[in-house]
Amino acid sequence: MPSVEKAVQWAEAIAADDSHGYSQGSARMGSEFDCSSLVGRSLVAAGFDYPADWSPSTKQMKAHLERIGWKWHAGIDGVRRGDILWRNGHTAWAASSTTVCEAVPRNGKLTGDTPGDQNGQEIRVAKMGANWTGYWRYKDSDAASRLKVDSWIGPDSVTEWQEQRGTVADGVISGQHRPNEGVLPHLTSVTWEGDGESALVKSVQRMLRDAGYDVKVDGHLGPKTITALQQWMRDVCGYRKHAINGVLDENTAYNIQNALNAGKFR
């Protein structure tokens, strides 16, 4: 069964391996890639019925994508991980709502004279920018929005959160401090252990810290972490329903579930 997530991860692995660089020559189907072959070859690797012995160019990809169930959306409102971005002459994977995984020429050279990524930027994950015409989304991608948005962070929500952050998915936020119970009224799947910690919470804290928020990575879901998470959901996700109050309340839980359904924690 084809997998959008597998395709994005395949492209990200190529971006992380500097033995692969940019070329529009014949090498684009070997060790090198241009923008459209990075997208096309990752689709093939992830099981999509996309041309495998050649990779359609940016001018040709529309027909091939829409034949296998990708739907066009004009503009970039609502773009998320797993969408295929396009503008005249360029295409890329959306790695998140704000970043892309793409192949770009070095110094304008369309055929590399030396194999591999010579500057670490030929195949990369980078800021998305606003200059995209639109994007394609796979027909089954919305099926991933399987969480019921009920404003309670229970086992299903925690499991999805854990899967998106790559931690053990047991559906429980474990190792929390009892004194924080008062700021977690809408968290129902939790264990209280005075000397414990949660791998999920630590992963979310690292994500927030790396994004510039003032968070201690200790595995405990307390007021400072919740405040940073609330601010991140405003800044990055564009959600406004919740207050910035350090409490995992009804509206905060509501927007965490919306962020999970949009894949924003990946």
Side-chain angles (χ1 to χ4, degrees):
M1 181 178 179
S3 168
V4 173
E5 179 60 23
K6 183 178 178 180
V8 179
Q9 290 181 4
W10 192 92
E12 289 172 331
I14 294 296
D17 182 352
D18 285 347
S19 68
H20 303 289
Y22 184 94
S23 177
Q24 281 192 13
S26 58
R28 71 192 285 270
M29 295 304 293
S31 65
E32 309 295 278
F33 296 82
D34 63 6
C35 65
S36 57
S37 69
L38 179 65
V39 171
R41 291 170 63 184
S42 60
L43 287 168
V44 172
F48 286 91
D49 182 20
Y50 200 76
D53 53 350
W54 65 287
S55 202
S57 69
T58 54
K59 292 181 179 180
Q60 300 165 325
M61 62 193 300
K62 172 181 169 67
H64 292 279
L65 286 171
E66 295 181 1
R67 172 181 60 83
I68 58 174
W70 290 77
K71 182 179 178 181
W72 176 253
H73 299 260
I76 60 171
D77 285 348
V79 70
R80 68 189 188 205
R81 181 176 175 85
D83 295 335
I84 297 174
L85 290 152
W86 185 89
R87 65 173 181 261
N88 188 28
H90 191 43
T91 189
W93 281 108
S96 72
S97 60
T98 58
T99 59
V100 298
C101 184
E102 64 181 351
V104 294
R106 176 171 57 93
N107 300 326
K109 297 182 71 172
L110 299 183
T111 55
D113 49 6
T114 305
D117 194 333
Q118 303 304 303
N119 62 358
Q121 294 294 310
E122 294 182 33
I123 306 178
R124 65 188 187 180
V125 175
K127 185 176 179 180
M128 182 177 293
N131 58 339
W132 294 95
T133 304
Y135 60 90
W136 286 280
R137 176 170 295 163
Y138 189 52
K139 61 181 179 180
D140 291 337
S141 293
D142 288 329
S145 299
R146 57 188 177 273
L147 283 177
K148 179 182 178 181
V149 179
D150 59 5
S151 298
W152 293 100
I153 305 301
D156 290 345
S157 295
V158 174
T159 298
E160 179 64 23
W161 210 350
Q162 290 167 327
E163 289 178 350
Q164 291 194 22
R165 294 307 305 160
T167 64
V168 174
D170 61 5
V172 179
I173 295 181
S174 57
Q176 297 306 291
H177 285 180
R178 182 69 71 175
N180 288 331
E181 186 174 7
V183 300
L184 301 171
H186 278 255
L187 174 62
T188 63
S189 188
V190 59
T191 62
W192 306 101
E193 303 163 28
D195 57 352
E197 61 182 31
S198 165
L200 169 62
V201 173
K202 290 181 77 171
S203 177
V204 171
Q205 288 169 330
R206 289 190 192 98
M207 179 196 79
L208 293 168
R209 182 195 61 190
D210 293 348
Y213 298 91
D214 181 18
V215 175
K216 180 180 179 181
V217 179
D218 60 7
H220 301 138
L221 194 56
K224 288 196 70 173
T225 297
I226 296 168
T227 296
L229 179 59
Q230 290 168 330
Q231 191 63 57
W232 175 84
M233 289 195 296
R234 281 206 182 173
D235 296 343
V236 174
C237 305
Y239 300 154
R240 295 289 184 270
K241 186 179 178 70
H242 61 277
I244 309 296
N245 60 6
V247 178
L248 205 165
D249 54 18
E250 179 180 1
N251 289 335
T252 299
Y254 175 89
N255 278 337
I256 289 172
Q257 291 176 319
N258 282 324
L260 289 168
N261 277 337
K264 292 184 180 294
F265 286 98
R266 296 188 187 278

